Amino acid sequence: MAAGRVKSISGEADGASAVAHELDTSATYSTSGAKLLSVKNATTEKFAIDKDGNMTISGTIPGAALNPTWSTYTPTVTATGAGTPPQYTTNIGYYMQIGKIMFVEVKLSGDGGNEGSGVDQLQVAIPAALATGHHMGYYWINAGIARNGASNYFQLQGIIDVAATTVRLAYFSTVAALVTFSCNNQADTDRMMSLFFSYPVD
């Protein structure tokens, strides 16, 4: 055995109730911050289990990343040029990050002020920038649907550029023609957009 190495070998026989190694405390730990186990590398903690059995790896609780909750944000709508972007009475966004993937849901509806005007492309704010090292240089998504008037529907596509904090919107006017989704496409007082998509983050 190498000098300084600690090695533990259990002789416990296999079985339904077998426990190879058991660590126990002589007192009940109930104080916030108390730990059952702390593993360090040159005084820097790398792994820990707290009094409630929650695991921490390099200061992060994996359970929080694997079981996150939805948070809200304001999905601001802007135009890529001098066009007038539409305003909505309902303007709400939800997001949830699992690992390095961001999930986003956006609801925009109602006449909240300006009608869209102009041919400039519409873009919607996202809660975090696209991963800076994304290999494609941009990220293409099936973004959702929009309506302009009672029966004029659009199936929206989206493009997120590297490090961008907005998704630019487009739609297929025909099978072969992808065109920008512009301010004019949200010019009716009866308008809406419903988006749901995911994308990679740093």
Side-chain angles (χ1 to χ4, degrees), residues 61-83:
I61 301 175
L66 295 175
N67 298 286
T69 58
W70 289 96
S71 300
T72 60
Y73 82 107
T74 301
T76 303
V77 179
T78 56
T80 56

Side-chain angles (χ1 to χ4, degrees), residues 68-135:
T69 58
W70 289 96
S71 300
T72 60
Y73 82 107
T74 301
T76 303
V77 179
T78 56
T80 56
T84 301
Q87 295 176 307
Y88 303 88
T89 51
T90 298
N91 186 340
I92 186 70
Y94 303 88
Y95 68 94
M96 175 174 62
Q97 183 174 342
I98 300 178
K100 291 185 176 294
I101 300 296
M102 182 72 74
F103 295 85
V104 181
E105 186 171 4
V106 171
K107 177 66 174 178
L108 304 164
S109 64
D111 184 10
N114 292 333
E115 278 69 67
S117 177
V119 297
D120 298 293
Q121 189 173 26
L122 287 178
Q123 54 190 9
V124 178
I126 55 179
L130 178 69
T132 55
H134 187 63
H135 55 276

Side-chain angles (χ1 to χ4, degrees), residues 3-202:
R5 179 183 299 174
V6 176
K7 187 175 183 180
S8 176
I9 299 175
S10 172
E12 178 81 1
D14 185 26
S17 60
V19 178
H21 300 279
E22 181 176 294
L23 300 176
D24 200 358
T25 62
S26 60
T28 300
Y29 289 6
S30 59
T31 304
S32 178
K35 299 176 182 178
L36 300 177
L37 180 67
S38 176
V39 179
K40 298 181 178 181
N41 183 3
T43 73
T44 300
E45 187 174 81
K46 299 297 183 180
F47 175 85
I49 300 175
D50 71 11
K51 62 180 180 60
D52 297 315
N54 297 314
M55 180 174 62
T56 301
I57 301 175
S58 296
T60 300
I61 301 175
L66 295 175
N67 298 286
T69 58
W70 289 96
S71 300
T72 60
Y73 82 107
T74 301
T76 303
V77 179
T78 56
T80 56
T84 301
Q87 295 176 307
Y88 303 88
T89 51
T90 298
N91 186 340
I92 186 70
Y94 303 88
Y95 68 94
M96 175 174 62
Q97 183 174 342
I98 300 178
K100 291 185 176 294
I101 300 296
M102 182 72 74
F103 295 85
V104 181
E105 186 171 4
V106 171
K107 177 66 174 178
L108 304 164
S109 64
D111 184 10
N114 292 333
E115 278 69 67
S117 177
V119 297
D120 298 293
Q121 189 173 26
L122 287 178
Q123 54 190 9
V124 178
I126 55 179
L130 178 69
T132 55
H134 187 63
H135 55 276
M136 291 291 291
Y138 62 91
Y139 196 71
W140 186 290
I141 60 172
N142 290 308
I145 62 169
R147 179 171 49 78
N148 191 41
S151 59
N152 193 13
Y153 284 87
F154 303 86
Q155 184 172 341
L156 297 177
Q157 307 294 306
I159 303 96
I160 307 175
D161 297 310
V162 166
T165 55
T166 60
V167 52
R168 295 183 288 113
L169 300 177
Y171 70 99
F172 285 101
S173 60
T174 67
V175 173
L178 180 70
V179 297
T180 60
F181 185 73
S182 72
C183 301
N184 286 337
N185 296 130
Q186 290 283 269
D188 199 289
T189 56
D190 181 12
R191 59 181 177 270
M192 61 82 72
M193 280 195 279
S194 180
L195 312 178
F196 185 80
F197 57 92
S198 62
Y199 64 97
V201 294
D202 287 325

